[in-house]
């Protein structure tokens, strides 16, 4: 609420000066920072729906509470088995929590959150080294060429699959780093209801750094 400006010339005793000074301080506080005595329950409910969708890995519900209802591409699972393993593990390790209540900033409603996610890029960086080391061990331990190569002289597919899965498991358990970010989620009232407007940083966190 804006407060009208008051102009006055002060003459009088010290007591009058102190009284007017106290009044001026009160008016300054009201004019400097708008305050909302009661936050709209719709905004609070929208923020809770977003957090429930994220922690429950319900990405269809997450898309439903974001303004514009965009397709984030988070609900699907990669067809490639190893990629699917990484994505499942990343989802299990995703942590989301609100840091305080809704508040007003620059005339809009916001709520701050902390998001911790597994850095998928750290796994992909160490995977080739891990796979090479494990494959070398299998080659040294092999008692016959048939254990290693197929009829075309290539490494057997089942051997490669076993090595890659073992290397990926090692990467996830020993090399995976985590990233924690603080994000501000804007809450807007459009088309008769409340929506969340995530920024790029939040979307990156939800995708575990893959976008």
């Amino acid at each position: 609420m804006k407060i009208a400006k008051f102009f006055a010339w002060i003459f009088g005793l010290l007591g009058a000066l102190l009284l007017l000074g106290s009044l001026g301080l009160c008016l300054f506080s009201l004019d400097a920072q708008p305050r909302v005595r009661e936050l709209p329950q719709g905004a609070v409910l929208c923020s809770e729906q977003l957090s429930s969708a994220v922690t429950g890995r319900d990405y269809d519900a997450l898309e439903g509470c974001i303004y514009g209802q965009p397709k984030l591409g988070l609900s699907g699972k990669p067809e490639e088995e190893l990629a699917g393993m990484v994505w499942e593990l990343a989802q299990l390790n995703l942590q989301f929590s609100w840091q305080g209540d809704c508040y007003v900033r620059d005339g809009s409603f916001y709520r701050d959150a902390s998001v911790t996610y597994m850095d998928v890029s750290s796994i992909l960086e160490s995977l080739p080294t891990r796979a090479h080391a494990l494959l070398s061990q299998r080659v040294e331990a092999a008692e016959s060429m048939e254990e290693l190569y197929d009829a075309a002289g290539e490494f057997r597919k089942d051997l490669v699959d076993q090595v890659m899965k073992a290397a990926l498991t090692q990467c996830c358990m020993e090399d995976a780093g985590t990233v924690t970010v603080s994000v501000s989620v804007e809450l807007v009232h459009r088309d008769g209801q409340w929506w969340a407007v995530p920024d790029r940083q939040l979307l990156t966190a939800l995708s575990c750094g893959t976008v």
Side-chain angles (χ1 to χ4, degrees), residues 125-196:
E125 289 175 1
S126 61
L127 183 58
T129 301
R130 293 278 187 183
H132 183 271
L134 289 175
L135 184 59
S136 297
Q137 292 175 11
R138 293 294 295 270
V139 170
E140 292 178 2
E143 297 181 354
S144 66
M145 299 294 286
E146 287 74 17
E147 294 182 30
L148 302 174
Y149 302 104
D150 58 20
E154 302 289 342
F155 280 115
R156 293 167 51 126
K157 184 179 183 305
D158 59 338
L159 172 64
V160 173
D161 289 343
Q162 292 171 13
V163 167
M164 291 301 294
K165 287 180 181 179
L168 182 58
T169 300
Q170 286 186 358
C171 292
C172 292
M173 295 180 63
E174 302 177 26
D175 303 325
T178 59
V179 179
T180 299
V181 295
S182 296
V183 297
S184 295
V185 180
E186 185 179 7
L187 302 164
V188 299
H189 191 263
R190 299 284 189 276
D191 304 324
Q193 70 179 83
W194 285 90
W195 306 88

Side-chain angles (χ1 to χ4, degrees), residues 66-81:
I66 292 177
Y67 184 62
Q69 298 179 303
K71 294 298 181 182
L72 302 178
L74 301 175
S75 57
K77 181 179 178 180
E79 294 183 2
E80 207 283 322
E81 184 179 7

Side-chain angles (χ1 to χ4, degrees), residues 26-94:
C26 178
L27 293 175
F28 176 81
S29 298
L30 290 173
D31 189 58
Q33 180 61 48
R35 297 178 182 273
V36 177
R37 294 183 178 180
E38 185 175 353
L39 289 167
Q41 288 302 307
V44 178
L45 178 60
C46 178
S47 69
E48 295 299 335
Q49 290 174 337
L50 184 143
S51 61
S52 295
V54 173
T55 55
R57 283 52 170 173
D58 188 347
Y59 295 117
D60 291 331
L62 175 64
E63 294 171 350
C65 65
I66 292 177
Y67 184 62
Q69 298 179 303
K71 294 298 181 182
L72 302 178
L74 301 175
S75 57
K77 181 179 178 180
E79 294 183 2
E80 207 283 322
E81 184 179 7
L82 294 179
M85 289 173 58
V86 174
W87 181 238
E88 279 190 21
L89 185 62
Q91 287 184 308
L92 290 174
N93 285 275
L94 182 66

Side-chain angles (χ1 to χ4, degrees), residues 110-138:
Y110 288 87
R111 195 170 185 183
D112 295 336
S114 175
V115 188
T116 299
Y117 62 94
M118 188 179 72
D119 186 11
V120 173
S121 63
S122 64
I123 296 176
L124 300 181
E125 289 175 1
S126 61
L127 183 58
T129 301
R130 293 278 187 183
H132 183 271
L134 289 175
L135 184 59
S136 297
Q137 292 175 11
R138 293 294 295 270

Side-chain angles (χ1 to χ4, degrees), residues 2-9 20 23-24 26-28 30-31:
K2 294 185 177 180
I3 305 298
K5 296 181 179 179
F6 289 91
F7 295 90
W9 295 99
L20 190 56
L23 178 60
C26 178
L27 293 175
F28 176 81
L30 290 173
D31 189 58

